[in-house]
Amino acid sequence: MNTVKIKFFNNGEGIYEFKKATKGSAGFDLKAAISKSLIIKSKSSILIPCGISLALPRNLEAQVRPRSGLALKYQVTVLNSPGTIDSDYRGEICVILINHGSKKFEVEPKMRIAQIIFTEIASIKLKEVSTLDETKRGEGGFGSTGLN
């Protein structure tokens, strides 16, 4: 099992329990480590601090992903989804939320705004070649396999 070290900034102290919502949950909630509510105007985005930083082992990355309830009910999601946190980053984790909805959205202190998932990174070596092996799909992409 990998160990991830968590450092709390002053704005993040006391707002996290870091337990999964259910036994089958893949990730942990990230919360808005803010002292007063923030408004995200329609069609706008904002950077929200989460009050923590991480020390990840080299074989891990953390991914910041949207919360499905915010996306479905309010059209609010993580702009650069998934956001990648590299193992050598030590700054505060922040989330870029975007409001795709037609109404303003209020982010309240300690609100669950995103989730963080930890993923193992494959050890790979890139090798330059002049040709690639052919497949039935070939260069077909962007919907080339149809909808059904």
Side-chain angles (χ1 to χ4, degrees):
M1 177 182 292
N2 291 295
T3 299
V4 175
K5 296 176 184 175
I6 300 172
K7 175 187 167 191
F8 292 91
F9 290 88
N10 289 339
N11 60 333
E13 288 182 5
I15 69 172
Y16 288 100
E17 293 178 37
F18 280 114
K19 63 178 184 178
K20 294 184 178 184
T22 68
K23 289 181 181 179
S25 294
F28 299 88
D29 288 322
L30 288 174
K31 295 184 179 184
I34 53 178
S35 59
K36 60 182 181 177
S37 294
L38 299 173
I39 300 296
I40 308 174
K41 295 177 185 176
S42 174
K43 312 301 181 210
S44 296
S45 62
I46 191 169
L47 184 67
I48 302 174
C50 294
I52 61 168
S53 61
L54 303 173
L56 299 168
R58 286 187 185 195
N59 67 319
L60 291 185
E61 71 153 329
Q63 295 182 1
V64 176
R65 299 184 185 181
R67 294 194 67 237
S68 59
L70 290 180
L72 176 64
K73 296 175 185 175
Y74 306 102
Q75 295 77 53
V76 172
T77 189
V78 176
L79 184 58
N80 63 323
S81 181
T84 296
I85 301 165
D86 296 308
S87 65
D88 58 350
Y89 177 67
R90 295 295 184 267
E92 184 173 11
I93 305 301
C94 296
V95 174
I96 306 169
L97 283 186
I98 186 165
N99 180 359
H100 289 293
S102 59
K103 299 176 184 176
K104 67 181 181 180
F105 181 78
E106 183 176 0
V107 179
E108 298 173 355
K110 303 178 186 177
M111 178 185 274
R112 296 181 299 152
I113 58 169
Q115 58 183 319
I116 191 166
I117 309 290
F118 298 94
T119 308
E120 285 198 61
I121 301 298
S123 178
I124 64 165
K125 177 182 176 183
L126 295 176
K127 179 181 178 182
E128 184 178 350
V129 296
S130 58
T131 60
L132 299 174
D133 58 311
E134 292 188 26
T135 65
K136 184 177 178 182
R137 182 176 184 172
E139 295 180 12
F142 301 100
S144 66
T145 59
L147 296 176
N148 297 322

